[in-house]
Amino acid sequence: MRTILVFLLINVLPCTAAFAQITLNGRVVDSKTNEPLAFVHLVPHEMRDGTTSDIDGRFSITVAALPVTLHFSYVGYSAQEVVVTADGPLLVRMQRGAVELREVDITPTENPAHRIIKQVYANRKVNDGLRNFAHRYKSYSKVIFTADMDSTIMADPEKFAALDTSDRDAIEFLEKQYILLIESVTAKRFIPPAAEQEEVLAMRVSGLKDPSLLAMVASTKTFSVYEPQIQVNERTYLSPIGPGSTKQYLFILQDTLYQGKDSVFVISYQPRSGKNFEALKGVLWVTTDGYALQNVIAEPVEREGGANIKLQQQFERVTNNGTSTWFPVQLNTFVYFDMLQINSMKMVAIGRSYLKEIELEPVIERKDVRGPDLIMEKVAGKRDDAFWNGYRTDTLDTKELRTYHTIDSISAAENLETKLKWAERLLSGRIPVGPFDLLLDRFMRLNDYEGYRLGLGVTTNDKVSRYFSLGGYFAYGFKDKEWKYGGDLTLKPRPGRDLNLKLGYLNDVDESGNTDLPGKKNLNFSSENYRSLFISRMDRIERFSAELGFRINSSLRAWVGTERAERLNVIGYQYAQPAGEGVTTLQDRFLTGAITAGFRFAYREQIVRLPDRQYSLGTRWPVLQVQVFRAVKGLWDGEMDTWRVFAQLDKTFRIRRFGDLSVRAIGGVADPNAPYPFLFNPRATFLRRIPIAAQNTFETMRPNEFLSDNYASVHLRHSFGNLLYKGRKFRPVPILVASAGWGGLSKQENHRGYSFSSMAKGFYEGGIQVDQLLKTNLVGLGIGAFYRFGPYALNDPIDNLAIKLSLSVGI
């Protein structure tokens, strides 16, 4: 008996004591907004080791016994102590602190945060699993749209009663359901440095039967804070982890946490005072396990109006397939729509993504990451509850279920899906009217040849057929007093893909020596569109054409076609050709039968492929476009042999702490014996009666001043953004502009009736433009000064100077 008692005392009772430990679970939220607080540190009183809330504010901690005092700390919030006497779920409300971070005088050798940040930068390649290791994963995401409400109002009957009726109704509505709820499941594959593809396996949007209308919301593509520059909401910010970041950002070591054998440094960051650059602010959690980032919070320093984003990322060390690195496992995105309000409350979207089944260095074939970056098939919108329950991190709560039910009912009553499709088509330059789309670019145009041109264009849409569209237009020019009209039939054997055959006819006008590339007409508010105001030399043209367009891969799209075109000049131009000894024929009509071809190469262009459409999100690499025209005598009764090749290259360089440099290079070669319409008329935009700046043009060159059969030009435009000066409301955007052009003309004597010069000596100009001196939500007004110099500078200096207004429009 004594032996049994000793055994129990030595072995069983300690185990019983261990099992007597208590696990406490809870959640930490903002006391005012009820927003979950990610990465809050909590530790029992007089203990060294604690834990951190996850990205949803949830925490779990084991304590020896109750009661226990838990200490909560979080950057920007007042520290809090909570005495726990029972093991039920806890809800901890933390209050924002009243003290803002301030600039302090710390030398680099004295600031311990600098040593840590530099170590993080040094280890970035081994710790950035998102960019430097092949991987695949699945994700579940949930996005809610609601209003940024003060939760204390509902808890205070007097405050609630003081609100007007509409505010009370809105708050009561938003307490019961969200404005919009979106769920999605995706599978992603990635091969470094940038080959990737994500497939939407399932998607559900409250109020919509067709979730593909919001397919981009499903993408889990996010930034890596290890990169030197971070792009958020179409703006480029300097990363806090990068070369020389300690000279631009103020880092403060706020706390040191302990997790087993590792320490976690909590470091806040914000731009140093006196530094003017596109900056972020937030908090970094750095673990001594490889000096990797464990958690990240980032948001722009200033809310610019419109949509503003705050991001949170949580990382874990992932080990499989013999590889170990840090990888994001949870992503939170908060989008604050300052321009959208529900009564007095601003709208906010909150997205949470959970990455699962993360596999490092798997076997991924190159063919598995070719093609579109994001794919969604029809089946994704038809998944059953069993599929969803296999990926949801938790079951839908009452508020979320009510959102689906209520918003589906409202959508059906208000026909919201149709209105959303209407808005989508409007952004592509169309107004849907039943089975037809009205083409916005056909309503009105203005140029110096036709004057005001009014018209109407219409085409069938998918309500008629997904496999073809039939369209037509007519227009009238009030200056040339001529009617124009045309039509086309487009066959689409694979709807929603870049494969179509277009048959067309037009009787219209076309710019002589045109240096514009053909393309799809979407809503485009670039100032380059103002160039049409300066076009004064045009030919009447009747054209029959056929063109096959197809995509070879995600980077390359091509087209090939044929045409029969008759061009007629009615404003005095004549093409002179020797017809025999002492005999010259003059011609103003040109009939050609031609083969046409071209391609557009955009390396690593981001393509989104949906069930019924496909579109591009652009690329950060140069975009090359080439167009070839070859007329063959006898083809389609053509009366002449001639040819023309034209190319255009575009690239924008984002330079750290220096702004954006946009470069456009244009070049072309044509048959030296070709008439004027097939040569090159540089893009000139100087008329004192139209003092408007147009980018990627010659601002000081007179229209039709030069003509070339071999031609090249470069247009440079460097925008400093708000880097040089940023006031509270006054934020001008200075821009440096420079252009140069060269060209030769072999047979100038063949062209009569028009005056022009050769550009063989080189044309040069430069200037400065200041945009947004005056600015509203949609329109910005500025001014620019440009000067012409070099071999073609004019005798009077004032004639070389162009002062213009800059007008920018955006939505």
Side-chain angles (χ1 to χ4, degrees), residues 276-277 657-658 720-726 732-735 768:
N276 188 12
F277 61 99
R657 303 195 301 272
F658 200 63
F720 292 94
N722 299 128
L723 295 175
L724 301 184
Y725 179 80
K726 181 187 291 186
V733 178
I735 302 170
I768 184 168

Side-chain angles (χ1 to χ4, degrees), residues 224-248:
S224 171
V225 76
Y226 290 101
E227 294 182 338
Q229 297 185 96
I230 296 173
Q231 189 164 351
V232 179
N233 198 25
E234 298 185 356
R235 298 179 71 93
T236 303
Y237 298 89
L238 184 68
S239 171
I241 306 298
S245 63
T246 55
K247 297 178 181 179
Q248 305 296 323

Side-chain angles (χ1 to χ4, degrees), residues 785-811:
F786 311 91
Y787 196 80
R788 171 176 178 161
F789 57 91
Y792 295 105
L794 303 175
N795 294 330
D796 190 342
I798 197 66
D799 291 333
N800 295 314
L801 179 65
I803 305 294
K804 297 186 175 185
L805 295 177
S806 69
L807 180 64
S808 56
V809 181
I811 58 174

Side-chain angles (χ1 to χ4, degrees), residues 119-273:
Q119 192 69 30
V120 173
Y121 178 70
N123 292 356
R124 67 193 185 280
K125 291 185 178 180
V126 295
N127 290 328
D128 188 4
L130 195 66
R131 293 289 181 268
N132 296 326
F133 294 83
H135 61 260
R136 60 183 167 212
Y137 62 77
K138 290 184 178 178
S139 74
Y140 168 75
S141 300
K142 183 190 297 182
V143 182
I144 61 169
F145 285 74
T146 184
D148 199 1
M149 296 188 298
D150 184 348
S151 65
T152 61
I153 292 178
M154 289 297 290
D156 189 331
E158 291 185 4
K159 285 185 178 180
F160 186 74
L163 298 174
D164 62 37
T165 304
S166 61
D167 280 340
R168 288 200 301 270
D169 291 344
I171 290 176
E172 288 178 342
F173 176 86
L174 294 170
E175 280 289 310
K176 296 177 182 178
Q177 66 264 305
Y178 301 111
I179 299 170
L180 186 67
L181 173 61
I182 303 172
E183 291 182 282
S184 59
V185 176
T186 71
K188 185 164 186 177
R189 302 171 289 274
F190 175 85
I191 300 176
E196 60 184 337
Q197 189 173 90
E198 187 166 16
E199 182 180 0
V200 182
L201 303 178
M203 191 170 186
R204 187 179 180 187
V205 181
S206 60
L208 297 182
K209 295 179 181 178
D210 180 9
S212 70
L213 293 170
L214 298 176
M216 281 304 302
V217 177
S219 173
T220 59
K221 189 168 187 174
T222 185
F223 70 89
S224 171
V225 76
Y226 290 101
E227 294 182 338
Q229 297 185 96
I230 296 173
Q231 189 164 351
V232 179
N233 198 25
E234 298 185 356
R235 298 179 71 93
T236 303
Y237 298 89
L238 184 68
S239 171
I241 306 298
S245 63
T246 55
K247 297 178 181 179
Q248 305 296 323
Y249 281 100
L250 168 66
F251 294 94
I252 297 178
L253 181 59
Q254 298 283 351
D255 202 354
T256 301
L257 317 178
Y258 301 97
Q259 295 178 348
K261 64 179 182 179
D262 298 314
S263 299
V264 177
F265 304 110
V266 183
I267 300 174
S268 64
Y269 63 95
Q270 65 178 34
R272 290 184 175 275
S273 64

